[in-house]
Amino acid sequence: MVTKAAKKGEIKCPVTGMLQLIGGKWKPIILYCLRSEKRRFGEIAVRIPDLSRKVLTEQLKELEADGLITRQQFNEIPPRVEYALTALGQSLSPVLNEMEKWGMENIISKQ
Amino acid sequence: MVTKAAKKGEIKCPVTGMLQLIGGKWKPIILYCLRSEKRRFGEIAVRIPDLSRKVLTEQLKELEADGLITRQQFNEIPPRVEYALTALGQSLSPVLNEMEKWGMENIISKQ
DNA sequence: AATACTAGTAACAAAATGGTAACAAAAGCG
DNA sequence: CGCTTTTGTTACCATTTTGTTACTAGTATT
């Protein structure tokens, strides 16, 4: 929600601000996937089968640009790239945990 | 993240499931706006100035169809419509609270 | 008679996301 | 040597989602 101050550009709604970083259609799932371990590109892709590799590449770039994940590239053949959460990315854990919990209670358990 | 069972359609990743309901670009903010009080269409629109009325209309319809909010229409002139969270919508509060908290700590306070 | 008010809607435009195919470049194999 | 496999990324194009602008209706106010 946006306050008067937000209209002046002084501060923003915290939820709005957060959604600018993880508001994409896939970003929360990607971060959730990286929550506990660093993972290679292909590993993430396997775990999110409905996400095309092209879009995954794009989303990872944005997450890296926003400082939520790191990208470590190994100059090997075939190529290897590992993604991991930054401290800022880790700080999202409470949000992701609540999402997971809600999904468990309201979706998974009702199937 | 999606397990083997998810591929068979038996269960889904809780985060994925949740994002199917509130994964839009604006839905979390709309719910956040309705968190504590019922609000008229125009009130929501004023509080989320970057969200066009057309898209707001669409998102509200989807939220209603998904059982997260209710829409109460008063046959008055000029028209009046009030939106409010359902119990299911209320159950999202912990998620929205964590989002708010994260935004406060990581965005608002760093301006 | 002209204007304001509210909750939208229609037509059209832009941005975000998706599908497919292709790339490099070393390694394994016959 | 030619042939295939592997991985992360990209180019080109199609589709879906989100955004802009103008407009409606019935009553009340100016």
Side-chain angles (χ1 to χ4, degrees):
Chain A
M1 185 167 1
V2 182
T3 61
K4 276 180 192 170
K7 288 187 186 172
K8 298 188 213 156
E10 290 164 3
I11 34 174
K12 283 177 194 160
C13 158
V15 175
T16 301
M18 151 158 236
L19 288 177
Q20 287 173 357
L21 293 184
I22 65 156
K25 191 168 172 181
W26 297 107
K27 285 177 184 170
I29 305 180
I30 295 171
L31 295 169
Y32 179 61
C33 182
L34 292 172
R35 215 178 24 154
S36 45
E37 306 150 70
K38 73 171 75 159
R39 292 198 190 279
R40 298 183 60 172
F41 181 88
E43 291 180 292
I44 305 173
V46 167
R47 283 174 172 75
I48 315 177
D50 290 340
L51 171 58
S52 74
R53 301 188 150 230
K54 188 201 103 176
V55 175
L56 176 55
T57 300
E58 293 167 352
Q59 302 291 303
L60 288 169
K61 268 187 193 162
E62 292 183 15
L63 288 170
E64 191 195 3
D66 289 334
L68 294 172
I69 64 173
T70 57
R71 177 184 190 274
Q72 186 175 10
Q73 179 176 345
F74 299 86
N75 290 317
E76 303 171 359
I77 299 294
R80 180 158 67 102
V81 180
E82 283 181 351
Y83 291 92
L85 293 186
T86 61
L88 186 61
Q90 291 283 0
S91 73
L92 284 166
S93 287
V95 178
L96 296 172
N97 286 340
E98 286 296 340
M99 285 187 172
E100 179 186 40
K101 199 171 144 194
W102 191 91
M104 287 291 189
E105 289 168 3
N106 294 280
I107 299 179
I108 305 295
S109 65
K110 297 194 179 163
Q111 285 179 347
Chain B
M1 189 165 0
V2 183
T3 62
K4 275 180 192 169
K7 287 186 188 175
K8 297 187 214 157
E10 290 164 2
I11 33 172
K12 283 175 195 161
C13 158
V15 175
T16 301
M18 151 157 235
L19 289 177
Q20 286 172 359
L21 294 185
I22 65 155
K25 191 167 170 181
W26 297 107
K27 284 178 184 169
I29 305 179
I30 295 171
L31 295 169
Y32 179 61
C33 182
L34 292 172
R35 214 178 27 155
S36 46
E37 307 151 67
K38 74 171 73 159
R39 290 199 191 279
R40 300 181 59 171
F41 180 88
E43 290 180 294
I44 304 173
V46 166
R47 282 175 172 73
I48 316 177
D50 290 338
L51 170 58
S52 73
R53 301 187 150 226
K54 187 203 109 181
V55 174
L56 175 56
T57 301
E58 292 168 352
Q59 303 290 301
L60 288 169
K61 274 184 189 161
E62 291 183 16
L63 289 170
E64 191 195 2
D66 289 332
L68 295 173
I69 65 172
T70 56
R71 176 183 189 275
Q72 186 177 10
Q73 179 174 343
F74 300 85
N75 290 316
E76 303 172 0
I77 299 293
R80 179 157 68 103
V81 179
E82 285 182 350
Y83 293 92
L85 293 185
T86 62
L88 185 61
Q90 291 284 358
S91 74
L92 284 165
S93 286
V95 178
L96 296 172
N97 285 340
E98 285 297 340
M99 285 187 172
E100 178 187 40
K101 199 171 143 195
W102 191 90
M104 286 291 188
E105 289 168 2
N106 294 280
I107 298 179
I108 305 296
S109 66
K110 296 194 178 161
Q111 285 178 345

